């Protein structure tokens, strides 16, 4: 039943956007050894597409194509690059329904949320179309007589982008768009769970007029992805690596990039604290937590992983939260009113189960959810859960659960909760709710994270720099800061001028 519905979802996608081969040098091509891998419906594990499975050979062909295209693309006037990005943006927006169907089919998020992701991803393309026009250098006050000194910005070169499954469109768009705006060419490998959306995006870029070789996509299975990535890591022509994914993989990539000293941006794991102070507007705090936590069923790096609530408002907050969480509908992406789709795979469901069992064994109280639901539709649906009595020793306090689980910790004072919030190797996002202006000014700078939501649960935006500190990585995506990651600085000094 679900398999049929998933195919129904895919049948909304025009044939021109249902692609299953690599995009290299402007051509769609299978792997030389004809290998393919299955893309599955996350709810059931049923195959929904067979996609070409790349190897080191296709990775190198893609790097060849990107290197060949680089001189022409970097010499293309910024105004023309911006025009092509605007055309790509228009094509993405025009195909919102088809792209949302692809996202839902391969990733599982509800269709309305998938359409929101299309708009979100497209916003980065529009933003960087504009930023392309604002790449500027500097004239310096010359140090010596008869000298002229200035600074120019150049594209860093060929960029390798490795992207995750949780936002199949937005994450790749926000890496490719600044790269193209800067004048870089791109080789990209989408996550093995969700290559279909990335391939469709490449087709839309080609339809928009992007020259061949400027954007190349190599798909690969979990087993063969390392060979693709290793080929790019070893290739001195690839000058930049941008990755979103786990901290463990990010550390490996940073080490492996060292041999060719690539410029590296890493958007890695998080363990976001969400603090509700005694002076918070509880209704707003619950609404903010619901928005931040349950986006993509809790499968985001920025979603709150630890919720700290002041002792004096704890019970009132938890009761409001329980009510809101029990009102969430879980089910297949294409059913109306569904708010939480399936988890991405069996490993994800297993980890959620382990975190819940560990917390309960250590004394937490499960007040709602946590069990599998909709089992007739597939084994990967989990009812959103709220736990109270969470403590720092529990696994869910130390690791990203990456699922719809809200552990609530009780706290008594500001200094204690700031210490607890920062007591993690991660530093991506933090959130807090308070109506006290002095507290807001005091607390925000003490939070050791790249992003802070203050009385706000939805912080991601193309206008803002997205990224972390500590073991959540480095580099920024979006905003004017996001372009710098794709540029290098050249200082010029001219003498003998008088
Ligand atoms: C992520 O989960 O990595 C990104 C989420 C976002 O862009 O908000």
């Amino acid at each position: 039943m679900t398999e049929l519905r998933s195919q129904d979802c895919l049948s909304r996608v025009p044939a021109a956007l249902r692609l299953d081969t690599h995009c290299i040098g402007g051509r769609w091509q299978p792997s030389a050894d004809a290998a393919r891998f299955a893309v599955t419906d996350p709810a059931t594990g049923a195959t929904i597409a067979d996609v070409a499975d790349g190897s080191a050979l296709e990775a190198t062909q893609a790097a060849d194509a990107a290197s060949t295209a680089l001189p022409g693309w970097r010499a293309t006037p910024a105004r023309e690059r911006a025009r092509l990005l605007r055309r790509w943006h228009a094509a993405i927006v025009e195909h919102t329904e088809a792209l949302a169907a692809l996202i839902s089919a391969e990733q599982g998020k509800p269709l309305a949320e998938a359409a929101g992701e299309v708009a979100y991803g497209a916003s980065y393309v529009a933003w960087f179309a504009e930023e392309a026009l604002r790449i500027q250098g500097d004239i310096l006050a010359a140090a010596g007589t008869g000298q002229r000194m200035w600074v120019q910005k150049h594209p860093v070169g060929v960029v390798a982008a490795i992207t995750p499954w949780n936002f199949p469109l937005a994450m790749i768009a926000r890496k490719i768009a600044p790269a193209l705006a800067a004048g870089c060419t791109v080789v990209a490998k989408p996550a093995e769970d969700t290559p279909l959306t990335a391939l469709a995006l490449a087709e839309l870029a080609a339809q928009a007029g992007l020259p061949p070789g400027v954007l190349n996509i190599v798909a690969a299975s979990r087993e063969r992805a390392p060979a693709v990535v290793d080929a790019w890591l070893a290739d001195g022509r690839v000058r930049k690596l941008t990755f979103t994914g786990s901290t463990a993989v990010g550390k490996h990539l940073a080490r492996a990039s060292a041999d060719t000293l690539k410029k590296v941006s890493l958007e890695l794991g998080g363990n976001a604290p969400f603090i509700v102070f005694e002076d918070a507007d509880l209704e707003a705090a619950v609404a903010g937590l619901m928005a931040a936590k349950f986006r993509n069923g809790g499968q985001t790096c920025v979603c709150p992983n630890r919720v700290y609530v002041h002792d004096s408002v704890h019970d009132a907050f938890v009761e409001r939260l329980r009510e809101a969480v029990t009102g969430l509908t879980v089910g297949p992406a294409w059913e109306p009113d569904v708010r939480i789709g399936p988890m991405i795979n069996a490993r994800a469901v297993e980890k959620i189960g382990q975190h819940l069992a560990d917390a309960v064994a250590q004394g937490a109280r499960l007040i709602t959810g946590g069990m599998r639901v909709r089992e007739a539709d597939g084994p990967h649906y989990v009812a959103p859960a709220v736990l109270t009595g969470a403590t720092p020793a529990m696994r869910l306090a130390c690791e990203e659960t990456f699922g719809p689980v809200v552990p609530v910790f009780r706290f008594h004072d500001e200094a204690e909760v700031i210490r607890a919030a920062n007591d993690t190797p991660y530093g991506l996002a933090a959130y807090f709710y308070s109506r006290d202006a002095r507290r807001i000014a005091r607390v925000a700078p003490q939070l050791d994270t790249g992003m802070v939501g203050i009385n706000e649960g939805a912080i991601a935006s193309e206008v803002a720099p997205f990224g972390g500190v500590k073991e959540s990585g480095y580099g920024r995506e979006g905003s004017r800061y996001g372009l710098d990651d794709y540029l290098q600085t050249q200082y010029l000094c001219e003498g003998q001028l008088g």
Side-chain angles (χ1 to χ4, degrees):
M1 173 79 149
T2 304
E3 188 183 348
L4 278 178
R5 286 181 172 189
S6 174
Q7 293 297 353
D8 284 350
C9 195
L10 274 185
S11 70
R12 296 176 181 208
V13 181
L17 294 185
R18 292 178 65 167
L19 294 147
D20 57 7
T21 55
H22 314 293
C23 175
I24 299 177
R27 289 181 42 242
W28 292 94
Q29 64 173 71
S31 293
D33 63 2
R36 301 186 81 79
F37 69 103
V39 178
T40 57
D41 173 347
T44 61
T47 298
I48 56 171
D50 270 308
V51 174
D53 195 357
S55 67
L57 178 68
E58 285 74 35
T60 304
Q61 289 173 346
D64 291 346
S67 300
T68 305
L70 182 64
W73 184 245
R74 63 177 276 166
T76 301
R79 208 172 269 280
E80 174 61 7
R81 295 201 301 267
R83 188 185 71 83
L84 291 172
L85 281 167
R86 281 198 304 274
R87 282 175 56 94
W88 189 31
H89 170 261
I92 294 170
V93 172
E94 187 190 330
H95 292 89
T96 294
E97 201 189 330
L99 292 166
L102 276 174
I103 293 171
S104 290
E106 62 179 350
Q107 196 270 319
K109 69 183 54 157
L111 266 175
E113 195 176 335
E117 181 182 339
V118 178
Y120 175 49
S123 73
Y124 286 95
V125 180
W127 175 270
F128 284 109
E130 294 180 359
E131 284 299 301
L133 303 176
R134 301 194 186 102
I135 299 171
Q136 289 159 358
D138 266 317
I139 308 283
L140 308 179
T145 313
Q147 285 185 326
R148 198 156 64 105
M149 295 178 163
W150 70 105
V151 170
Q152 289 181 350
K153 296 288 178 91
H154 297 297
V156 76
V158 175
V159 172
I162 301 169
T163 58
W165 52 263
N166 61 345
F167 290 86
L169 189 147
M171 295 303 100
I172 199 162
R174 84 177 179 199
K175 293 180 187 312
I176 294 172
L180 300 186
C184 300
T185 56
V186 177
V187 293
K189 187 200 75 62
E192 58 277 4
D193 308 278
T194 56
L196 304 177
T197 310
L199 294 170
L201 270 187
E203 170 59 22
L204 291 175
Q207 288 179 15
L210 201 69
V214 170
L215 171 60
N216 308 276
I217 311 260
V218 178
S221 62
R222 187 176 299 278
E223 293 70 35
R224 302 212 329 175
V228 170
V229 174
D230 287 351
W232 291 339
L233 287 169
D235 193 327
R237 297 171 301 174
V238 175
R239 295 311 315 146
K240 176 172 171 77
L241 176 78
T242 170
F243 169 72
T244 297
S246 74
T247 293
V249 174
K251 286 181 181 178
H252 161 74
L253 295 174
R255 282 186 209 106
S257 296
D259 276 346
T260 50
L261 281 181
K262 297 185 201 313
K263 189 164 177 166
V264 178
S265 303
L266 301 170
E267 200 260 273
L268 307 177
N271 184 3
F274 186 105
I275 306 169
V276 183
F277 284 104
E278 60 272 36
D279 50 42
D281 174 338
L282 292 193
E283 201 174 316
V286 170
L289 178 58
M290 296 298 289
K293 177 72 221 184
F294 294 108
R295 181 163 164 246
N296 199 19
Q299 301 174 110
T300 73
C301 305
V302 282
C303 73
N305 203 50
R306 299 168 290 152
V307 177
Y308 295 95
V309 184
H310 190 269
D311 183 53
S312 63
V313 292
H314 177 276
D315 294 354
F317 179 83
V318 167
E319 183 43 31
R320 284 172 193 245
L321 178 63
R322 191 193 59 75
E323 260 176 46
V325 169
T326 50
L328 294 173
T329 307
V330 180
W334 38 91
E335 278 187 12
D337 302 329
V338 160
R339 180 69 202 287
I340 300 190
M343 298 296 101
I344 188 69
N345 55 33
R347 282 192 309 282
V349 177
E350 205 177 308
K351 184 177 185 191
I352 291 165
Q354 287 170 357
H355 278 199
L356 288 171
D358 170 71
V360 170
Q362 294 198 55
R365 185 165 155 250
L366 183 60
I367 62 166
T368 184
M371 66 301 226
R372 287 180 200 221
V373 287
R374 302 287 301 245
E375 289 186 74
D377 292 300
H380 301 154
Y381 293 99
V382 177
V386 178
L387 294 137
T388 53
T391 66
M394 294 171 183
R395 276 186 67 185
L396 43 63
C398 320
E399 298 169 27
E400 260 186 315
T401 305
F402 232 64
V405 176
V406 187
V408 180
F409 301 69
R410 207 183 267 268
F411 75 91
H412 297 88
D413 72 65
E414 190 181 293
E416 168 206 355
V417 79
I418 292 171
R419 258 194 320 275
N422 288 337
D423 186 18
T424 167
Y426 300 102
L428 191 57
Y431 306 82
F432 69 93
Y433 277 68
S434 167
R435 282 182 287 202
D436 177 341
R438 277 179 301 184
R439 188 196 295 278
I440 290 172
R442 197 165 58 232
V443 170
Q446 293 185 69
L447 292 169
D448 219 352
T449 56
M451 297 173 281
V452 181
I454 304 164
N455 296 325
E456 179 60 68
I459 56 173
S461 160
E462 79 281 12
V463 310
F466 190 105
V469 298
K470 293 162 55 183
E471 294 192 20
S472 291
Y474 38 75
R476 291 294 178 267
E477 296 190 324
S479 79
R480 67 187 166 86
Y481 303 97
L483 199 60
D484 282 346
D485 280 41
Y486 297 88
L487 293 167
Q488 55 199 5
T489 300
Q490 184 181 49
Y491 152 60
L492 301 98
C493 177
E494 186 180 359
Q496 306 298 322
L497 290 174

